[in-house]
Amino acid sequence: MATLHELLAGFQNSGRKTRVMPSGLLGRLGVKNIPKGEIPSSPFLLPGTLQTRDGEYQIIETFKGGETTVYRAKDLLLERDVSLRSIDPKTKTDLKNAVKVLNRARRDNPMIAFSTQEIYGLRTGFDGSEYLELEWVEGETLDKYWIEDLSRMVLGVATIIKALSDVGLVHRDIKPSNIVLQNGSLNRMKLIDCFLLRGFGINNGTEWDKMGTPAFAAPEQRTKGEFIGPKTD
């Protein structure tokens, strides 16, 4: 049987570019660590697919926001819909810290686990690009609903915020488009996009500290030296 190196060389020497090698070939070979000179130049090996060192995904929808791209995709190995969130290199360290904090909170607090988006792990494309693989939360966001029972809606959102606050955390991007009603039910709210999450403390004026959607951000999120705490969300 041909080795991986021989297979890759065959594609290159036959005049075909490695970025159009058959879908799923590397995954089926169980390959995760390939020398840099022998990897595709893009994670998109075929139209509509994204290849990483950990799996292959079929892209269903693409959402663009600021420096971040989010894909709704199907994990072809586990046959489930997921969300893939690109990682901006400029804020990678802060985002990974937020992920660690959220995972710890989800592990220790059942209410936070129930009401926030699950993180499956970090995925790396063959070009070095990085993505977070997340639970795809099926449902409509709060901004697309006409809510008749406002008191139940406010209570539901406040309950999620209080669960985070009780463990010293601030979401920093609470807005209708980040709250999903699963099956259209106010009893099944889930908070998504928890990647500005941080603990209580002083705003140090860094780019990360000041991030948030301007129309929804509290004043202390934009002001160096202000305290970011329970009232921020």
Side-chain angles (χ1 to χ4, degrees), residues 42-136:
S42 168
F44 297 93
L45 299 188
L46 290 173
T49 68
L50 186 151
Q51 296 265 356
T52 73
R53 294 175 184 272
D54 305 280
E56 179 182 3
Y57 304 87
Q58 178 184 354
I59 303 301
I60 300 171
E61 293 180 84
T62 302
F63 309 90
K64 181 72 177 176
E67 300 298 320
T68 300
T69 303
V70 177
Y71 303 99
R72 178 184 181 180
K74 178 175 285 295
D75 183 327
L76 296 179
L77 177 63
L78 298 179
E79 297 186 338
R80 65 181 179 186
D81 282 5
V82 299
S83 178
L84 291 172
R85 186 186 195 277
S86 67
I87 296 178
D88 182 356
K90 296 193 298 292
T91 57
K92 179 171 68 174
T93 299
D94 291 308
L95 184 143
K96 288 183 176 180
N97 287 336
V99 167
K100 290 178 182 178
V101 170
L102 178 60
N103 278 336
R104 190 181 309 120
R106 285 178 54 85
R107 184 184 65 240
D108 297 340
N109 188 306
M111 180 60 197
I112 294 176
F114 177 77
S115 58
T116 58
Q117 188 176 24
E118 185 176 356
I119 300 169
Y120 297 142
L122 179 69
R123 309 295 179 236
T124 304
F126 290 111
D127 63 344
S129 56
E130 292 183 301
Y131 306 85
L132 280 176
E133 183 181 343
L134 312 160
E135 169 192 12
W136 173 259

Side-chain angles (χ1 to χ4, degrees), residues 139-205:
E140 294 288 349
T141 51
L142 204 56
D143 57 328
K144 296 179 181 177
Y145 271 90
W146 174 258
I147 306 294
E148 293 185 0
D149 193 342
L150 289 177
S151 60
R152 279 185 62 205
M153 182 272 288
V154 171
L155 179 61
V157 175
T159 299
I160 298 173
I161 293 173
K162 185 178 185 302
L164 291 172
S165 181
D166 283 347
V167 293
L169 298 177
V170 186
H171 183 276
R172 295 199 296 150
D173 203 19
I174 299 288
K175 57 185 178 182
S177 60
N178 276 343
I179 299 168
V180 179
L181 302 181
Q182 298 178 91
N183 300 323
S185 172
L186 287 171
N187 295 323
R188 297 195 63 194
M189 282 188 186
K190 184 156 285 196
L191 185 61
I192 63 173
D193 206 6
C194 300
F195 306 112
L196 297 185
L197 196 75
R198 60 158 287 172
F200 297 166
I202 298 297
N203 183 339
N204 293 313

